[in-house]
Amino acid sequence: MSKNTLAAACALLLLTGAGVGAGAAQAKTLVYCSEGSPENFNPMINTTGTTFDANRPVYQRLIAFKPGTTELEPSLAERWEVSEDGKTITFHLRQGVKWQSNSRFKPTRDFDADDVLFSFDRQWKDDNPYHKVSGGGYDYFNDMSFPKMLAAIDKLDDHTVRFTLNYPQTPFLADMAMEFAAIQSKEYADALLKAGKPELIDQEPIGTGPFEFVVYQKDATIRYRAFKDYWGPKPKLDALVFAITKDPSVRLAKLRADECQVMPYPNPADLPAIRADANLQMLQQPGLNIGYLAFNTQKKPFDDKRVRIALNMAIDKKAILDAVYQGAGTPAKNLIPPTMWSYDNDIQDFKYDPDAAKKLLAEAGLPDGFETDLWAMPVQRPYNPDARRIAELMQADLAKIGVKARIVSFEWGEYRKRVQQGEHQMAQLGWTGDNGDPDNFFVPLAGCAAARSGGGNSAKWCNQQFDDIVNKAATLIDQKARAQLYMQAQVIMHEEAPFYFIAHSVVFMPMRKNVTGYMMSPLGAHDFSNVDLQ
Amino acid sequence: MLRFLLRRIGLIIPTFVGVTLLTFAMIHLVPGDPVEVRSGEHGIAPERLAILRHEMGLDQPLWKQFLHYEGQVASGDLGTSVVTQDSVWTEFIQLFPATVELSVCAILFAIAVGLPLGVIAAAKRGTGFDYTLMGASVTGASMPIFWWGLMMILVFSVALGWTPVSGRISDQFYVQPITGFMLIDSWFSDDAGAFRSAASHLILPTIVLGTVPLATVARMTRSSMLEVLGEDYIRTARAKGLGRFRVIGVHALRNALIPVVTVIGLQTGALLGGAILTETIFSWPGVGHWLVEAIQRRDYPVLQGGVLLVAVLVMLVNLGVDLAYGLLNPRIRR
């Protein structure tokens, strides 16, 4: 008897043990070694990629970027219409979209027009009760000129919202796919306001996305689980964990030990070892960015385009890419990266030719060269791994044509400020695109409005013809017509050479071999909605 | 004794003001402010910059900002992070147990290993063991923590697979923080294996953070022991025919411990400095990690409040050591 009982107990134990084991095997959890802590859980307020990544599983927008591209596709809006004059955009909202829930909040209704109005009013209107919550600095909303651009947002019915603009602005649609245009639940906001804890909306987010937020342990982990009522294709993972790991070498160590399955931003020096590791795979893609050297065209001798072209011919780009980017960059010949629509591939980059450069300088009245400064930022940027080293290489090349360049640097914030004020003669800087629209490169980096002191056009270059073209392109709806204009703009820019384009950096994503379905985003977003583990 | 105590406590207040002034001055010497730092390549329109700076009170003269801050601290308010909008105190309380847990383990490790090693080295003075140990302790005391941590990870976690790479507990466990001390919380959690996981995550960071204090404790114990071993009463004890173990372990060690206790106390401050690096390498969510981030984001309230709290802690530990020392050694109670 007792023997039987023991046997039965053992069998039961084994069975339950097996059951537990099987359950554990079925729950598919992907651990992502993220590079830092999110500032909070609201993509309207913060501007860092780290915070955007932490919000991406939860929040959605009316429009989305098609995975792996910068093309737009419907998301919470099923479709939209733009009026003839380009000033009215009507969004038809998707029906039957469920809101997530948490211990404080159970939604009683689906997503509707009130949520859209709330999400934009919060950023736009001083009298919205949430406007000041969580600090209330809506940087992107302001940067993308929404307060200037928006005339009205109206609810036509529960599932139709109309945006009226003060002037036609086609990149508006791409803006609407940006992180800051996330849709929050008005019902949740109202409930929190009533409970006297409005700030929780940005700490315990409720969204419509494929994953629900579970818990954030400060500086350690963020946990999500698949949202079972998600309107789109169900995520293949059951759970998603962000393990915050700041040091790139440690991230790689965790990846190798299978403590995480995907990591961003590897050390360039580790790339060969990652490629050699049989357990790992690595995806790569040119980033949506540009690193350049800007000539201050409002200062002598850079007001003469012959000098700018001469310098473009005097610097050996290949040497910089080999020595500094080490395979993590593609040489740049245009302001926009080759993955962006309207990229003009017919433009021939200036050939490295010191003799021709010297001749051109002599033509410009500077046969013995000149003295100049050459600014290098003190920090690594996504588009420029080592500005100081690049400056040294440039300095050596320029010396060959008699140009004596003195390398200058400041603390990063100070550096940007001074370059924007135009204190430099030549300065390195760069840009990472926000929404995949060419307008987002041409206007803030080379437009006349940005050439004022304090503006982002660090060449301080104002070419009326170029400016008219890019401004006109922003008002057209037809993408083909826009692309043609941007191509013309690139030709002018090449002829005038206000910049020496260095490179577009390549972004790498190492991951375990068993990760499938991960698609790199040209915008640098890390998205796990279609990812699976084999 | 009471007068001694009051005097020590009285000294804390000027130190306190000094620390706030110093932190305040230093972060304001660093160019850039929270608004500019977050604007990145986008830059920020001067009008908006002015508004945001005004909201944060950054447009006030520095002395006004400082007085305002002192007043705020005096009333017990450490302010709110300009980045997360959480109160500095809440954040500190969430993160501090992780630092304490790691530091306590590191100091215990340093004592448990360093003390016996120092005693043996003294007892075997001039032998190969002594020389090796002292050589190793010089290396240990000057070990660059960042390099050391990465090496340990590469060897024990990646190559051998014995220990986890980083974090406080494996991601498969979610332990509800109650005390904030992962060892304690995981012990009481329902998840079998959580405690084991938490303990195994502590091994490498403990060794890395404990290395410098270990070397210091070993050296201090050795030299203090050597001094004591030369005393007359030790010779007397030996002459009485006491065993070698009893002479060293009981008569000598007790007296040799007094300076070692002081060194351990002083190491606590150094330990917090080391914790910043150790926490960064091992993704350990403690105050060190938090302060580094605050510097990068120019999160003034977090930086000021955090440094202040850490300083208070070091002061308290030093006070504790002073008191303990006063108890041990009546000569300094005046």
Side-chain angles (χ1 to χ4, degrees):
Chain A
M1 180 66 193
S2 72
K3 245 185 194 171
N4 280 349
T5 322
L6 197 70
C10 282
L12 197 70
L13 207 70
L14 274 174
L15 275 176
T16 41
V20 167
Q26 271 165 12
K28 260 187 207 169
T29 303
L30 180 123
V31 182
Y32 168 62
C33 274
S34 62
E35 75 285 2
S37 311
E39 285 137 343
N40 66 10
F41 289 89
N42 182 339
M44 301 168 179
I45 291 182
N46 297 297
T47 54
T48 62
T50 309
T51 302
F52 290 159
D53 284 342
N55 282 293
R56 189 164 298 106
V58 177
Y59 285 118
Q60 295 188 298
R61 283 140 280 275
L62 295 181
I63 303 180
F65 293 111
K66 209 176 274 176
T69 72
T70 56
E71 285 163 41
L72 305 178
E73 65 174 16
S75 181
L76 290 180
E78 270 176 328
R79 60 201 163 82
W80 53 88
E81 290 129 22
V82 183
S83 66
E84 278 292 305
D85 64 358
K87 293 208 286 195
T88 318
I89 300 102
T90 312
F91 290 98
H92 300 276
L93 308 184
R94 193 176 294 278
Q95 303 198 18
V97 172
K98 302 279 179 224
W99 284 105
Q100 299 160 357
S101 59
N102 62 20
S103 58
R104 299 172 196 281
F105 171 70
K106 302 279 173 276
T108 62
R109 63 164 176 82
D110 291 351
F111 154 76
D112 68 18
D114 289 331
D115 301 316
V116 178
L117 259 63
F118 166 72
S119 302
F120 285 92
D121 279 354
R122 174 177 180 182
Q123 305 189 62
W124 189 21
K125 300 202 167 137
D126 287 345
D127 59 356
N128 185 289
Y130 272 88
H131 188 65
K132 286 280 167 210
V133 170
S134 307
Y138 303 99
D139 291 352
Y140 258 117
F141 188 80
N142 285 287
D143 277 349
M144 305 316 280
S145 308
F146 267 52
K148 210 170 93 190
M149 185 162 56
L150 286 179
I153 308 177
D154 300 299
K155 170 181 169 179
L156 301 185
D157 62 48
D158 275 354
H159 300 287
T160 316
V161 178
R162 186 180 60 205
F163 282 70
T164 313
L165 310 184
N166 285 318
Y167 47 87
Q169 180 73 1
T170 308
F172 169 79
L173 289 172
D175 295 346
M176 292 295 280
M178 285 173 67
E179 309 291 336
F180 80 89
I183 305 297
Q184 291 187 316
S185 160
K186 178 165 194 304
E187 197 187 5
Y188 183 43
D190 289 344
L192 288 174
L193 202 61
K194 217 168 137 191
K197 294 188 166 170
E199 68 284 355
L200 289 180
I201 197 170
D202 303 329
Q203 291 163 15
E204 298 171 8
I206 291 283
T208 54
F211 291 94
E212 284 184 286
F213 172 84
V214 179
V215 69
Y216 170 43
Q217 285 171 303
K218 191 170 166 51
D219 295 347
T221 50
I222 315 171
R223 288 164 190 277
Y224 310 87
R225 64 170 164 258
F227 176 38
K228 62 180 186 342
D229 294 327
Y230 178 52
W231 60 269
K234 299 272 173 287
K236 297 173 184 89
L237 300 168
D238 299 306
L240 178 63
V241 178
F242 281 26
I244 297 164
T245 314
K246 287 192 86 171
D247 188 82
S249 313
V250 179
R251 282 202 292 276
L252 180 58
K254 272 178 96 79
L255 188 72
R256 285 190 162 151
D258 205 14
E259 283 181 31
C260 62
Q261 288 77 47
V262 182
M263 67 168 275
Y265 314 117
N267 268 333
D270 290 332
L271 295 177
I274 298 172
R275 287 199 184 94
D277 193 320
N279 294 316
L280 305 182
Q281 53 176 327
M282 187 159 58
L283 304 185
Q284 66 179 73
Q285 189 176 52
L288 199 69
N289 60 41
I290 173 76
Y292 52 72
L293 174 76
F295 305 116
N296 189 337
T297 57
Q298 294 184 1
K299 281 191 177 169
K300 277 193 181 312
F302 297 106
D303 53 346
D304 185 336
K305 95 174 177 195
R306 287 171 298 186
V307 175
R308 305 196 294 259
I309 292 176
L311 263 59
N312 257 292
M313 294 194 293
I315 300 171
D316 186 357
K317 200 169 288 183
K318 191 176 173 304
I320 293 177
L321 272 124
D322 290 347
V324 183
Y325 287 83
Q326 299 179 14
T330 46
K333 59 183 182 182
N334 287 320
L335 185 67
I336 57 173
T339 45
M340 191 175 263
W341 60 268
S342 83
Y343 180 80
D344 188 351
N345 205 18
D346 292 338
I347 283 177
Q348 295 295 315
D349 199 6
F350 298 103
K351 279 222 167 57
Y352 171 59
D353 186 349
D355 293 332
K358 217 167 170 178
K359 255 185 227 150
L360 202 56
L361 269 192
E363 265 176 46
L366 296 161
D368 304 323
F370 56 94
E371 283 185 22
T372 176
D373 55 34
L374 167 54
W375 291 32
M377 55 269 198
V379 287
Q380 215 181 34
R381 300 302 294 162
Y383 47 78
N384 186 331
D386 190 347
R388 179 89 203 179
R389 179 90 186 93
I390 292 178
E392 286 164 5
L393 291 170
M394 288 177 167
Q395 189 183 37
D397 283 341
L398 293 177
K400 289 178 201 154
I401 60 162
V403 174
K404 285 184 215 56
R406 192 168 46 87
I407 299 176
V408 174
S409 195
F410 295 94
E411 185 275 334
W412 177 222
E414 192 66 19
Y415 183 93
R416 277 190 324 250
K417 199 158 72 186
R418 287 178 187 245
V419 170
Q420 282 160 4
Q421 280 164 0
E423 291 182 22
H424 60 290
Q425 285 184 292
M426 301 197 289
Q428 291 181 66
L429 206 62
W431 185 255
T432 304
D434 299 304
N435 58 9
D437 197 289
D439 179 76
N440 179 240
F441 276 74
F442 290 118
V443 172
L445 301 182
C448 283
R452 66 180 162 83
S453 173
N457 177 345
S458 37
K460 302 294 152 203
W461 177 65
C462 176
N463 179 298
Q464 211 52 54
Q465 199 193 350
F466 172 91
D467 201 52
D468 290 346
I469 291 177
V470 295
N471 284 328
K472 186 177 171 207
T475 63
L476 300 183
I477 298 162
D478 178 27
Q479 186 164 319
K480 269 203 192 112
R482 292 185 68 201
Q484 251 168 9
L485 287 178
Y486 288 129
M487 284 191 179
Q488 284 176 31
Q490 286 167 73
V491 172
I492 299 174
M493 200 170 206
H494 177 75
E495 283 166 0
E496 292 289 317
F499 298 98
Y500 172 81
F501 298 121
I502 306 169
H504 310 286
S505 76
V506 176
V507 183
F508 295 91
M509 272 312 266
M511 56 193 77
R512 303 285 302 181
K513 274 264 164 71
N514 61 342
V515 176
T516 57
Y518 187 89
M519 216 180 265
M520 287 189 75
S521 146
L523 292 153
H526 301 115
D527 183 5
F528 299 95
S529 38
N530 299 315
V531 173
D532 199 359
L533 286 171
Q534 294 302 320
Chain B
M1 187 67 201
L2 187 68
R3 259 187 63 202
F4 170 74
L5 187 68
L6 285 178
R7 227 180 39 182
R8 303 302 308 191
I9 293 176
L11 270 178
I12 282 190
I13 294 163
T15 321
F16 197 81
V17 176
V19 166
T20 45
L21 183 61
L22 208 66
T23 335
F24 186 87
M26 281 206 288
I27 36 174
H28 282 89
L29 277 177
V30 181
D33 66 31
V35 185
E36 274 176 16
V37 162
R38 78 172 184 206
S39 70
E41 273 84 353
H42 274 277
I44 185 163
E47 315 81 57
R48 236 179 95 66
L49 179 68
I51 295 173
L52 290 174
R53 295 186 62 158
H54 178 72
E55 280 173 5
M56 291 185 193
L58 296 172
D59 54 345
Q60 299 280 329
L62 275 186
W63 62 269
K64 255 195 189 162
Q65 289 185 41
F66 180 68
L67 285 186
H68 176 77
Y69 183 71
E70 288 288 271
Q72 205 185 323
V73 170
S75 65
D77 177 12
L78 289 170
T80 333
S81 158
V82 295
V83 175
T84 63
Q85 308 295 328
D86 248 344
S87 95
V88 173
W89 178 248
T90 316
E91 294 200 342
F92 181 79
I93 284 298
Q94 272 180 49
L95 301 171
F96 189 54
T99 302
V100 174
E101 189 169 43
L102 177 57
S103 305
V104 168
C105 286
I107 203 82
L108 289 179
F109 164 74
I111 296 169
V113 180
L115 209 64
L117 285 181
V119 172
I120 299 172
K124 297 189 182 260
R125 181 187 186 179
T127 62
F129 179 85
D130 184 24
Y131 290 132
T132 316
L133 191 77
M134 284 308 106
S137 84
V138 171
T139 319
S142 46
M143 189 72 85
I145 289 187
F146 222 93
W147 178 84
W148 182 225
L150 284 177
M151 284 301 121
M152 297 288 275
I153 289 177
L154 285 181
V155 174
F156 291 103
S157 307
V158 178
L160 298 171
W162 291 352
T163 49
V165 176
S166 72
R168 287 180 83 189
I169 192 162
S170 162
D171 293 312
Q172 68 185 97
F173 300 107
Y174 172 63
V175 177
Q176 184 72 35
I178 299 162
T179 59
F181 297 98
M182 195 55 94
L183 281 179
I184 302 176
D185 289 346
S186 63
W187 181 261
F188 291 108
S189 92
D190 299 331
D191 282 320
F195 178 75
R196 236 183 107 99
S197 173
S200 69
H201 278 80
L202 256 170
I203 298 174
L204 287 191
T206 296
I207 295 176
V208 169
L209 183 57
T211 299
V212 174
L214 185 153
T216 317
V217 167
R219 290 180 70 81
M220 194 66 212
T221 310
R222 176 182 175 272
S223 60
S224 165
M225 273 300 276
L226 285 179
E227 207 175 295
V228 171
L229 284 176
E231 296 282 340
D232 290 344
Y233 64 86
I234 296 294
R235 203 174 36 192
T236 313
R238 281 199 182 123
K240 273 202 309 188
L242 288 182
R244 188 177 155 82
F245 181 76
R246 206 172 154 72
V247 171
I248 294 173
V250 179
H251 290 258
L253 184 60
R254 246 191 221 172
N255 287 294
L257 272 185
I258 297 177
V260 177
V261 168
T262 319
V263 165
I264 293 171
L266 289 175
Q267 281 296 316
T268 321
L271 211 58
L272 285 167
I276 291 181
L277 289 176
T278 315
E279 286 177 2
T280 307
I281 304 169
F282 290 97
S283 317
W284 194 266
V287 289
H289 200 215
W290 178 60
L291 288 176
V292 171
E293 196 122 282
I295 296 175
Q296 286 161 357
R297 291 169 171 174
R298 304 286 190 285
D299 195 341
Y300 294 161
V302 164
L303 206 53
Q304 283 165 331
V307 170
L308 188 66
L309 288 169
V310 170
V312 168
L313 193 88
V314 173
M315 282 190 260
L316 288 179
V317 170
N318 283 344
L319 179 71
V321 170
D322 279 351
L323 292 180
Y325 204 61
L327 286 175
L328 286 176
N329 189 350
R331 279 172 297 180
I332 65 146
R333 267 185 232 162
R334 274 171 291 129

